[in-house]
Amino acid sequence: MRAVACLGNYAKEPYYFEKLDIRVFSMEELCCCLKENAFLLGTEIMQDSLLKFIANQCDVPQLARELYPLVHKKGSVSTFVSMIIEYVGFYSQEEIRQVERVLKQGAHLSDFAKRKVQIDYMMEKKRYASALEEYEQLYENMPKSLEAAGVLHNMGVVYAHMMMYQKAGECFLQAYELGGNEDSFVAYLGARRFEL
C-alpha cells in the first residue's frame, strides 16, 4: 500500500460536473472523477469555471495557469486531463496512459455516439427526466439510422421506467421499424401488455 500526499486544499464549495452528476471537493477527487469517467468526457469539461475551482478553491493556481491555454486555444481533452492527473501525482504512469487511451478512443466517436453514451450514463444513474429530454433533443438532430434506432429504444426504456407504457411502446415500435432489432419488438409487446 502506498501513501499519497494530498495536493492543495479541500474546497469549501464543490465543483459540479452537471453531465456526470458528480461533485468534487479536492484535486484527488477531481482526478478520480476524470479517470473513472474518461469515456464520457468531452470538450465541455474544459471550462474557466474548472480553472477557477482549481486555482481558488483547491489553491493550485500554477496548474490552473498551465491549463489556461488549453481551454482558450481549444487543446485536446486528452492533454487537458493528462496534465491534471500528472500534476496531482495521484495515479501511476501506467494508469495515466490508460486514461489517455480511453480519451483518444472516445475522440474517434461521432458526436452523436459520444452524446448517446453520456445520456445512457444519465439513464443508468436513474436521472430519467433529464435523460429523456436529452434523448429527444439528440433524436431530433440526428440522421435516421441504426444509431437513431438505439436512441429510440433507450427513450422507450426511460418511458417504461417512468411507467408511461403507451409512449414506451411507441418508441420501441419505431426503433424496431427503423433498425429491425428484435429486442425492440419484444420490448414493444411488453410495453403494450403493461399498458393494458
Side-chain angles (χ1 to χ4, degrees):
M1 185 172 167
R2 66 185 180 107
V4 177
C6 294
L7 178 70
N9 296 329
Y10 194 78
K12 291 183 175 118
E13 295 289 326
Y15 186 80
Y16 179 60
F17 289 97
E18 185 176 350
K19 297 296 181 191
L20 302 175
D21 193 27
I22 295 174
R23 287 174 174 76
V24 295
F25 285 87
S26 68
M27 292 304 298
E28 291 74 25
E29 287 179 8
L30 174 61
C31 288
C32 185
C33 174
L34 296 174
K35 178 182 179 284
E36 296 303 317
N37 298 288
F39 192 73
L40 302 173
L41 301 178
T43 55
E44 76 280 350
I45 67 160
M46 298 168 63
Q47 300 286 328
D48 279 326
S49 57
L50 180 56
L51 299 183
K52 287 177 186 170
F53 171 78
I54 291 170
N56 301 333
Q57 291 290 324
C58 294
D59 196 29
V60 188
Q62 178 62 35
L63 175 59
R65 280 192 295 275
E66 291 177 20
L67 293 170
Y68 185 87
L70 292 174
V71 170
H72 291 275
K73 293 181 181 171
K74 300 298 178 203
S76 75
V77 176
S78 176
T79 304
F80 183 81
V81 171
S82 296
M83 280 180 68
I84 293 171
I85 295 175
E86 283 182 25
Y87 192 94
V88 175
F90 194 63
Y91 292 111
S92 69
Q93 285 301 314
E94 178 53 38
E95 289 170 308
I96 293 169
R97 282 193 294 276
Q98 181 184 3
V99 171
E100 288 172 345
R101 281 192 297 272
V102 170
L103 288 165
K104 286 176 183 170
Q105 287 170 353
H108 297 295
L109 291 176
S110 71
D111 289 340
F112 289 117
K114 185 175 267 196
R115 186 75 193 112
K116 183 180 176 294
V117 169
Q118 292 171 331
I119 303 167
D120 292 347
Y121 181 80
M122 276 188 223
M123 182 177 69
E124 289 169 20
K125 293 295 182 184
K126 300 183 180 180
R127 295 178 57 205
Y128 299 127
S130 297
L132 184 59
E133 185 180 325
E134 296 289 334
Y135 278 135
E136 287 171 348
Q137 287 177 7
L138 182 64
Y139 181 71
E140 286 174 18
N141 296 316
M142 69 187 308
K144 304 311 174 235
S145 63
L146 286 177
E147 283 182 328
V151 170
L152 280 168
H153 181 90
N154 286 2
M155 285 171 63
V157 170
V158 172
Y159 276 125
H161 280 293
M162 297 170 75
M163 295 184 204
M164 299 171 74
Y165 300 115
Q166 181 180 355
K167 288 192 176 267
E170 291 168 5
C171 288
F172 289 134
L173 184 58
Q174 282 181 287
Y176 173 70
E177 290 170 348
L178 189 60
N181 186 334
E182 289 184 18
D183 290 342
S184 293
F185 189 72
V186 170
Y188 162 72
L189 294 175
R192 290 304 307 270
R193 182 173 174 88
F194 277 111
E195 184 185 348
L196 296 173

